[in-house]
Amino acid sequence: MSEALEPWSEFNVAMVGATAALAGLLIVAMSVNIGAIMSSKTLPARAAASIATLVLAIVVTGLALAPGQPLWAYGIEALVAAAVAAAFEVHAVRAIFQDDQHRGTARELAAKSAAGLLPIVAYLVGSVLLLAGVVPAGLMVLGIATILAIASAIVLAWVVLVEVLR
């Protein structure tokens, strides 16, 4: 672990544990309703994006705890992890915009999409700041991104589980 990451170790340990527990609970909750989720046009993609966002938080905070890792390597790892999660989120956004059954205004569709995109963008920004050498700001943005990822995943998973009952 680099010297700059040392002050973040307790935060990262707490986030890895809490996020992993939350991801497990959400997977169990979704598996109970998997038939209804899979019969929807948008819910599978939204559920996958929610889980991918939590996995992103686990990966980024977990990798921050790796001993002997240079900051540039951590920045690349966080950037790659965010790009992978972004693919899931883009798929969910496309599903939302292509859903003929629950069409809304452009503003409503954008609002549905923003909750999932916000933490991904924050991770991308934090990673780029880290790679650019703006270490304190990059680490702070990655910490904020982790909190946003957890909040976003909870909200999106809740939406999926509520939509199953409609």
Side-chain angles (χ1 to χ4, degrees), residues 73-103:
Y74 177 59
I76 290 172
E77 293 162 354
L79 186 65
V80 169
V84 171
F88 284 92
E89 195 58 49
V90 166
H91 178 65
V93 169
R94 283 187 180 152
I96 289 168
F97 275 85
Q98 293 173 352
D99 184 17
D100 297 331
Q101 204 172 22
H102 297 99
R103 285 302 291 175

mmCIF file of all heavy atoms in Angstrom, residues 73-103:
data_model
loop_
_atom_site.group_PDB
_atom_site.id
_atom_site.type_symbol
_atom_site.label_atom_id
_atom_site.label_comp_id
_atom_site.label_asym_id
_atom_site.label_seq_id
_atom_site.Cartn_x
_atom_site.Cartn_y
_atom_site.Cartn_z
ATOM 1 N N ALA A 73 -0.455 2.237 -10.553
ATOM 2 C CA ALA A 73 -1.088 0.935 -10.803
ATOM 3 C C ALA A 73 -2.510 0.930 -10.242
ATOM 4 O O ALA A 73 -3.443 0.448 -10.893
ATOM 5 C CB ALA A 73 -0.267 -0.189 -10.182
ATOM 6 N N TYR A 74 -2.662 1.486 -9.054
ATOM 7 C CA TYR A 74 -4.000 1.585 -8.451
ATOM 8 C C TYR A 74 -4.909 2.438 -9.320
ATOM 9 O O TYR A 74 -6.082 2.105 -9.522
ATOM 10 C CB TYR A 74 -3.879 2.150 -7.034
ATOM 11 C CG TYR A 74 -5.213 2.358 -6.355
ATOM 12 C CD1 TYR A 74 -6.087 1.297 -6.158
ATOM 13 C CD2 TYR A 74 -5.591 3.616 -5.903
ATOM 14 C CE1 TYR A 74 -7.312 1.484 -5.529
ATOM 15 C CE2 TYR A 74 -6.799 3.813 -5.270
ATOM 16 C CZ TYR A 74 -7.663 2.746 -5.096
ATOM 17 O OH TYR A 74 -8.875 2.938 -4.479
ATOM 18 N N GLY A 75 -4.387 3.524 -9.858
ATOM 19 C CA GLY A 75 -5.185 4.374 -10.743
ATOM 20 C C GLY A 75 -5.652 3.628 -11.983
ATOM 21 O O GLY A 75 -6.810 3.749 -12.394
ATOM 22 N N ILE A 76 -4.773 2.844 -12.571
ATOM 23 C CA ILE A 76 -5.145 2.060 -13.757
ATOM 24 C C ILE A 76 -6.182 0.999 -13.389
ATOM 25 O O ILE A 76 -7.165 0.798 -14.115
ATOM 26 C CB ILE A 76 -3.894 1.418 -14.403
ATOM 27 C CG1 ILE A 76 -3.044 2.518 -15.051
ATOM 28 C CG2 ILE A 76 -4.296 0.362 -15.436
ATOM 29 C CD1 ILE A 76 -1.693 2.039 -15.554
ATOM 30 N N GLU A 77 -5.979 0.330 -12.267
ATOM 31 C CA GLU A 77 -6.937 -0.697 -11.834
ATOM 32 C C GLU A 77 -8.320 -0.100 -11.604
ATOM 33 O O GLU A 77 -9.327 -0.678 -12.028
ATOM 34 C CB GLU A 77 -6.438 -1.361 -10.548
ATOM 35 C CG GLU A 77 -5.182 -2.174 -10.729
ATOM 36 C CD GLU A 77 -4.460 -2.472 -9.427
ATOM 37 O OE1 GLU A 77 -4.848 -1.958 -8.361
ATOM 38 O OE2 GLU A 77 -3.480 -3.237 -9.479
ATOM 39 N N ALA A 78 -8.363 1.034 -10.941
ATOM 40 C CA ALA A 78 -9.649 1.697 -10.689
ATOM 41 C C ALA A 78 -10.301 2.134 -11.990
ATOM 42 O O ALA A 78 -11.520 2.010 -12.170
ATOM 43 C CB ALA A 78 -9.455 2.887 -9.751
ATOM 44 N N LEU A 79 -9.493 2.631 -12.921
ATOM 45 C CA LEU A 79 -10.013 3.065 -14.221
ATOM 46 C C LEU A 79 -10.595 1.889 -15.009
ATOM 47 O O LEU A 79 -11.701 1.977 -15.556
ATOM 48 C CB LEU A 79 -8.899 3.747 -15.016
ATOM 49 C CG LEU A 79 -9.287 4.397 -16.330
ATOM 50 C CD1 LEU A 79 -10.233 5.567 -16.097
ATOM 51 C CD2 LEU A 79 -8.038 4.869 -17.067
ATOM 52 N N VAL A 80 -9.888 0.778 -15.028
ATOM 53 C CA VAL A 80 -10.368 -0.419 -15.743
ATOM 54 C C VAL A 80 -11.641 -0.960 -15.085
ATOM 55 O O VAL A 80 -12.615 -1.298 -15.768
ATOM 56 C CB VAL A 80 -9.266 -1.503 -15.804
ATOM 57 C CG1 VAL A 80 -9.819 -2.835 -16.294
ATOM 58 C CG2 VAL A 80 -8.121 -1.035 -16.695
ATOM 59 N N ALA A 81 -11.659 -1.018 -13.753
ATOM 60 C CA ALA A 81 -12.849 -1.502 -13.051
ATOM 61 C C ALA A 81 -14.051 -0.602 -13.335
ATOM 62 O O ALA A 81 -15.171 -1.089 -13.560
ATOM 63 C CB ALA A 81 -12.582 -1.577 -11.545
ATOM 64 N N ALA A 82 -13.832 0.704 -13.360
ATOM 65 C CA ALA A 82 -14.922 1.643 -13.650
ATOM 66 C C ALA A 82 -15.408 1.474 -15.087
ATOM 67 O O ALA A 82 -16.621 1.560 -15.357
ATOM 68 C CB ALA A 82 -14.468 3.078 -13.407
ATOM 69 N N ALA A 83 -14.510 1.215 -16.005
ATOM 70 C CA ALA A 83 -14.906 1.011 -17.412
ATOM 71 C C ALA A 83 -15.759 -0.246 -17.559
ATOM 72 O O ALA A 83 -16.747 -0.250 -18.306
ATOM 73 C CB ALA A 83 -13.669 0.936 -18.294
ATOM 74 N N VAL A 84 -15.411 -1.294 -16.846
ATOM 75 C CA VAL A 84 -16.207 -2.532 -16.895
ATOM 76 C C VAL A 84 -17.605 -2.276 -16.332
ATOM 77 O O VAL A 84 -18.615 -2.656 -16.934
ATOM 78 C CB VAL A 84 -15.501 -3.682 -16.136
ATOM 79 C CG1 VAL A 84 -16.420 -4.889 -15.992
ATOM 80 C CG2 VAL A 84 -14.212 -4.066 -16.855
ATOM 81 N N ALA A 85 -17.680 -1.613 -15.190
ATOM 82 C CA ALA A 85 -18.985 -1.303 -14.589
ATOM 83 C C ALA A 85 -19.777 -0.358 -15.493
ATOM 84 O O ALA A 85 -21.006 -0.463 -15.579
ATOM 85 C CB ALA A 85 -18.810 -0.687 -13.207
ATOM 86 N N ALA A 86 -19.077 0.526 -16.181
ATOM 87 C CA ALA A 86 -19.751 1.460 -17.103
ATOM 88 C C ALA A 86 -20.452 0.703 -18.222
ATOM 89 O O ALA A 86 -21.546 1.106 -18.663
ATOM 90 C CB ALA A 86 -18.748 2.454 -17.678
ATOM 91 N N ALA A 87 -19.876 -0.389 -18.681
ATOM 92 C CA ALA A 87 -20.514 -1.185 -19.735
ATOM 93 C C ALA A 87 -21.876 -1.715 -19.266
ATOM 94 O O ALA A 87 -22.857 -1.682 -20.011
ATOM 95 C CB ALA A 87 -19.607 -2.337 -20.148
ATOM 96 N N PHE A 88 -21.943 -2.180 -18.023
ATOM 97 C CA PHE A 88 -23.221 -2.643 -17.468
ATOM 98 C C PHE A 88 -24.210 -1.484 -17.356
ATOM 99 O O PHE A 88 -25.389 -1.637 -17.649
ATOM 100 C CB PHE A 88 -23.014 -3.281 -16.092
ATOM 101 C CG PHE A 88 -22.437 -4.660 -16.131
ATOM 102 C CD1 PHE A 88 -21.069 -4.858 -16.055
ATOM 103 C CD2 PHE A 88 -23.266 -5.769 -16.253
ATOM 104 C CE1 PHE A 88 -20.525 -6.130 -16.095
ATOM 105 C CE2 PHE A 88 -22.742 -7.050 -16.285
ATOM 106 C CZ PHE A 88 -21.362 -7.226 -16.212
ATOM 107 N N GLU A 89 -23.728 -0.343 -16.927
ATOM 108 C CA GLU A 89 -24.605 0.814 -16.744
ATOM 109 C C GLU A 89 -25.119 1.345 -18.079
ATOM 110 O O GLU A 89 -26.289 1.708 -18.202
ATOM 111 C CB GLU A 89 -23.872 1.915 -15.967
ATOM 112 C CG GLU A 89 -24.787 2.974 -15.442
ATOM 113 C CD GLU A 89 -25.875 2.430 -14.528
ATOM 114 O OE1 GLU A 89 -25.577 1.663 -13.614
ATOM 115 O OE2 GLU A 89 -27.052 2.798 -14.742
ATOM 116 N N VAL A 90 -24.265 1.378 -19.087
ATOM 117 C CA VAL A 90 -24.692 1.828 -20.417
ATOM 118 C C VAL A 90 -25.763 0.886 -20.959
ATOM 119 O O VAL A 90 -26.754 1.329 -21.552
ATOM 120 C CB VAL A 90 -23.483 1.933 -21.376
ATOM 121 C CG1 VAL A 90 -23.918 2.069 -22.827
ATOM 122 C CG2 VAL A 90 -22.602 3.110 -20.963
ATOM 123 N N HIS A 91 -25.591 -0.411 -20.744
ATOM 124 C CA HIS A 91 -26.604 -1.380 -21.173
ATOM 125 C C HIS A 91 -27.937 -1.107 -20.463
ATOM 126 O O HIS A 91 -29.002 -1.158 -21.087
ATOM 127 C CB HIS A 91 -26.117 -2.803 -20.898
ATOM 128 C CG HIS A 91 -27.105 -3.856 -21.265
ATOM 129 N ND1 HIS A 91 -27.506 -4.100 -22.562
ATOM 130 C CD2 HIS A 91 -27.805 -4.724 -20.492
ATOM 131 C CE1 HIS A 91 -28.403 -5.074 -22.574
ATOM 132 N NE2 HIS A 91 -28.599 -5.469 -21.326
ATOM 133 N N ALA A 92 -27.883 -0.801 -19.176
ATOM 134 C CA ALA A 92 -29.114 -0.501 -18.425
ATOM 135 C C ALA A 92 -29.767 0.778 -18.934
ATOM 136 O O ALA A 92 -30.993 0.845 -19.078
ATOM 137 C CB ALA A 92 -28.805 -0.382 -16.931
ATOM 138 N N VAL A 93 -28.968 1.790 -19.224
ATOM 139 C CA VAL A 93 -29.514 3.052 -19.752
ATOM 140 C C VAL A 93 -30.187 2.815 -21.094
ATOM 141 O O VAL A 93 -31.291 3.319 -21.352
ATOM 142 C CB VAL A 93 -28.408 4.125 -19.859
ATOM 143 C CG1 VAL A 93 -28.879 5.336 -20.650
ATOM 144 C CG2 VAL A 93 -27.945 4.541 -18.470
ATOM 145 N N ARG A 94 -29.556 2.038 -21.948
ATOM 146 C CA ARG A 94 -30.176 1.707 -23.253
ATOM 147 C C ARG A 94 -31.504 0.985 -23.059
ATOM 148 O O ARG A 94 -32.481 1.261 -23.748
ATOM 149 C CB ARG A 94 -29.233 0.840 -24.079
ATOM 150 C CG ARG A 94 -28.117 1.597 -24.701
ATOM 151 C CD ARG A 94 -27.329 0.702 -25.636
ATOM 152 N NE ARG A 94 -26.256 1.444 -26.239
ATOM 153 C CZ ARG A 94 -25.126 0.911 -26.637
ATOM 154 N NH1 ARG A 94 -24.921 -0.393 -26.508
ATOM 155 N NH2 ARG A 94 -24.188 1.659 -27.174
ATOM 156 N N ALA A 95 -31.532 0.055 -22.123
ATOM 157 C CA ALA A 95 -32.778 -0.680 -21.857
ATOM 158 C C ALA A 95 -33.874 0.261 -21.380
ATOM 159 O O ALA A 95 -35.033 0.138 -21.783
ATOM 160 C CB ALA A 95 -32.526 -1.781 -20.829
ATOM 161 N N ILE A 96 -33.515 1.213 -20.525
ATOM 162 C CA ILE A 96 -34.494 2.180 -20.016
ATOM 163 C C ILE A 96 -35.049 3.016 -21.163
ATOM 164 O O ILE A 96 -36.255 3.214 -21.282
ATOM 165 C CB ILE A 96 -33.859 3.078 -18.929
ATOM 166 C CG1 ILE A 96 -33.606 2.271 -17.658
ATOM 167 C CG2 ILE A 96 -34.747 4.285 -18.636
ATOM 168 C CD1 ILE A 96 -32.728 2.981 -16.636
ATOM 169 N N PHE A 97 -34.181 3.508 -22.028
ATOM 170 C CA PHE A 97 -34.622 4.373 -23.130
ATOM 171 C C PHE A 97 -35.368 3.605 -24.219
ATOM 172 O O PHE A 97 -36.138 4.190 -24.964
ATOM 173 C CB PHE A 97 -33.438 5.140 -23.720
ATOM 174 C CG PHE A 97 -33.129 6.406 -22.984
ATOM 175 C CD1 PHE A 97 -32.319 6.391 -21.854
ATOM 176 C CD2 PHE A 97 -33.650 7.613 -23.395
ATOM 177 C CE1 PHE A 97 -32.034 7.551 -21.152
ATOM 178 C CE2 PHE A 97 -33.376 8.788 -22.706
ATOM 179 C CZ PHE A 97 -32.561 8.756 -21.582
ATOM 180 N N GLN A 98 -35.153 2.301 -24.332
ATOM 181 C CA GLN A 98 -35.818 1.499 -25.356
ATOM 182 C C GLN A 98 -37.087 0.814 -24.857
ATOM 183 O O GLN A 98 -37.756 0.138 -25.624
ATOM 184 C CB GLN A 98 -34.857 0.447 -25.906
ATOM 185 C CG GLN A 98 -33.709 1.048 -26.671
ATOM 186 C CD GLN A 98 -32.671 0.015 -27.070
ATOM 187 O OE1 GLN A 98 -32.716 -1.141 -26.666
ATOM 188 N NE2 GLN A 98 -31.702 0.451 -27.869
ATOM 189 N N ASP A 99 -37.422 1.001 -23.596
ATOM 190 C CA ASP A 99 -38.594 0.345 -23.017
ATOM 191 C C ASP A 99 -39.876 1.043 -23.486
ATOM 192 O O ASP A 99 -40.166 2.155 -23.074
ATOM 193 C CB ASP A 99 -38.505 0.365 -21.492
ATOM 194 C CG ASP A 99 -39.650 -0.394 -20.826
ATOM 195 O OD1 ASP A 99 -40.319 -1.189 -21.504
ATOM 196 O OD2 ASP A 99 -39.860 -0.178 -19.623
ATOM 197 N N ASP A 100 -40.616 0.386 -24.340
ATOM 198 C CA ASP A 100 -41.863 0.954 -24.859
ATOM 199 C C ASP A 100 -42.989 0.884 -23.836
ATOM 200 O O ASP A 100 -43.921 1.674 -23.880
ATOM 201 C CB ASP A 100 -42.302 0.206 -26.128
ATOM 202 C CG ASP A 100 -41.297 0.369 -27.248
ATOM 203 O OD1 ASP A 100 -40.619 1.420 -27.275
ATOM 204 O OD2 ASP A 100 -41.174 -0.548 -28.077
ATOM 205 N N GLN A 101 -42.910 -0.046 -22.929
ATOM 206 C CA GLN A 101 -43.978 -0.280 -21.963
ATOM 207 C C GLN A 101 -44.073 0.821 -20.903
ATOM 208 O O GLN A 101 -45.149 1.184 -20.471
ATOM 209 C CB GLN A 101 -43.752 -1.626 -21.275
ATOM 210 C CG GLN A 101 -44.986 -2.251 -20.715
ATOM 211 C CD GLN A 101 -44.672 -3.669 -20.246
ATOM 212 O OE1 GLN A 101 -43.536 -4.016 -19.978
ATOM 213 N NE2 GLN A 101 -45.700 -4.477 -20.158
ATOM 214 N N HIS A 102 -42.937 1.357 -20.491
ATOM 215 C CA HIS A 102 -42.911 2.364 -19.424
ATOM 216 C C HIS A 102 -42.246 3.647 -19.915
ATOM 217 O O HIS A 102 -41.371 4.186 -19.262
ATOM 218 C CB HIS A 102 -42.155 1.834 -18.198
ATOM 219 C CG HIS A 102 -42.785 0.652 -17.578
ATOM 220 N ND1 HIS A 102 -42.350 -0.624 -17.823
ATOM 221 C CD2 HIS A 102 -43.847 0.535 -16.740
ATOM 222 C CE1 HIS A 102 -43.093 -1.473 -17.149
ATOM 223 N NE2 HIS A 102 -44.008 -0.797 -16.484
ATOM 224 N N ARG A 103 -42.666 4.126 -21.068
ATOM 225 C CA ARG A 103 -42.083 5.358 -21.624
ATOM 226 C C ARG A 103 -42.394 6.532 -20.710
ATOM 227 O O ARG A 103 -43.452 6.628 -20.122
ATOM 228 C CB ARG A 103 -42.650 5.680 -23.002
ATOM 229 C CG ARG A 103 -42.153 4.854 -24.128
ATOM 230 C CD ARG A 103 -40.695 4.849 -24.376
ATOM 231 N NE ARG A 103 -40.119 6.079 -24.877
ATOM 232 C CZ ARG A 103 -38.823 6.217 -25.030
ATOM 233 N NH1 ARG A 103 -38.011 5.248 -24.723
ATOM 234 N NH2 ARG A 103 -38.327 7.335 -25.485
#
